[in-house]
Amino acid sequence: MSEPASKPAAGTLTANIHLRWEDVDRTIPVPLPRGDCTLLDLLPAARAISHEATAVALEQARSQGREISCRAGCGACCRQLVAISVVESQSLADLVAAMPPERQSVIRRRFTDAIGRLEESELLDPHEAKGERSIVAADQGARDATLQGVGRRYFELQIACPFLENESCSIHPDRPIVCREHHVTTPAENCAKLYQVNVDRVEPAARLGEALARTADHVHGTGAFMIPLVLSLEWSEAHGPLLKKPQDGKVLFQTMMGELT
Ligand code: SF4
């Protein structure tokens, strides 16, 4: 669910950014890193803008009589194919690496188990180089190989996100932007039957995760794709240092805003 942006950290300044979505104008405070920084340092700004873009969409939905049915303790959406930017993949990999050893091994084991199930199900090629592979329909032609078909097969496996515990997100303050943006207006129980019954989502006014992916490609040539969350750790092992190269923070922010529009 949406929540206010957190206070700016030391080494950041606050800029008032004017945003316009169709006929909606908003000026919001956005935390920006001072001087040189990495793309990871843009995450607080991206989250603040995403928060506002989601709030605008939720207000519009409510004004149309649509009520948000998401509720605490419902983790059905955390068994979907969650795709995130490489910037957020690296952020999650750093988060896991900073966990105490015992906790870290629990989380790493869940990532390994999830990947093992995808390989067994032929949604992931075990022979392809780690950090290069993605989830695909390995038996194209035999089954639905479209993006929606792959999403459906992933959901059928009911692989819980490695961070899901007791049907709640165990990394709530650090969860990816796409998780923050996700709100539905159909009955919550429909989400457990995704692809069988209708699930209406509220589309945010802007998708910051995708803007971050395009920014990473623009700045570091990563490719503008989104990564399945469960592949975050292996992507980071192969490519993580690329995102740690510092650049002028102002230029990075301007690049992200350019990719947003
Ligand atoms: S990061 Fe959290 S909210 Fe996002 S899919 Fe995983 S458990 Fe769910």
Side-chain angles (χ1 to χ4, degrees), residues 77-78 82 161-165 168-172 175-176 179 229:
C77 56
C78 303
V82 175
C161 170
F163 298 113
L164 186 68
E165 282 179 358
S168 294
C169 180
S170 64
I171 57 160
H172 198 259
R175 68 201 188 286
C179 305
L229 186 153

Side-chain angles (χ1 to χ4, degrees), residues 40 43 82-96 111 163 174 176-177 212 225-237 239-240 243:
L40 292 161
L43 267 176
V82 175
I84 62 177
S85 68
V86 294
V87 181
E88 292 177 287
S89 290
Q90 183 57 44
S91 168
L92 290 182
D94 290 347
L95 186 75
V96 173
F111 271 91
F163 298 113
D174 300 299
I177 287 171
L212 276 174
F225 46 78
M226 306 285 274
I227 294 182
L229 186 153
V230 291
L231 298 184
S232 291
L233 302 190
E234 66 177 45
W235 188 91
S236 162
E237 275 175 30
H239 304 288
L243 295 183

Side-chain angles (χ1 to χ4, degrees), residues 30-190:
V30 171
L32 297 181
R34 293 178 191 271
D36 283 359
C37 70
T38 71
L39 281 178
L40 292 161
D41 297 315
L42 282 189
L43 267 176
R47 286 173 181 160
I49 298 169
S50 168
H51 173 75
E52 200 64 27
T54 302
V56 166
L58 293 177
E59 283 167 25
Q60 286 178 344
R62 289 188 179 110
S63 72
Q64 295 161 357
R66 299 168 69 200
E67 281 305 316
I68 308 307
S69 48
C70 299
R71 50 182 165 71
C74 174
C77 56
C78 303
R79 293 177 173 81
Q80 294 182 36
L81 177 50
V82 175
I84 62 177
S85 68
V86 294
V87 181
E88 292 177 287
S89 290
Q90 183 57 44
S91 168
L92 290 182
D94 290 347
L95 186 75
V96 173
M99 289 173 175
E102 281 181 20
R103 175 71 180 154
Q104 199 177 134
S105 71
V106 168
I107 297 293
R108 287 190 187 280
R109 169 54 55 194
R110 291 181 191 160
F111 271 91
T112 303
D113 290 348
I115 287 172
R117 290 197 58 203
L118 291 168
E119 288 176 343
E120 282 165 17
S121 310
E122 299 185 350
L123 278 175
L124 199 56
D125 185 347
H127 306 296
E128 219 178 324
K130 292 185 171 61
E132 307 300 332
R133 60 185 182 166
S134 191
I135 294 173
V136 293
D139 54 351
Q140 289 186 17
R143 296 184 66 171
D144 185 356
T146 62
L147 193 58
Q148 199 199 22
V150 173
R152 177 197 294 263
R153 289 182 58 196
Y154 188 100
F155 188 69
E156 282 170 1
L157 292 172
Q158 287 290 286
I159 298 171
C161 170
F163 298 113
L164 186 68
E165 282 179 358
N166 301 321
E167 298 304 303
S168 294
C169 180
S170 64
I171 57 160
H172 198 259
D174 300 299
R175 68 201 188 286
I177 287 171
V178 71
C179 305
R180 298 162 193 255
E181 292 171 343
H182 189 83
H183 297 85
V184 303
T185 55
T186 34
E189 54 270 25
N190 282 22

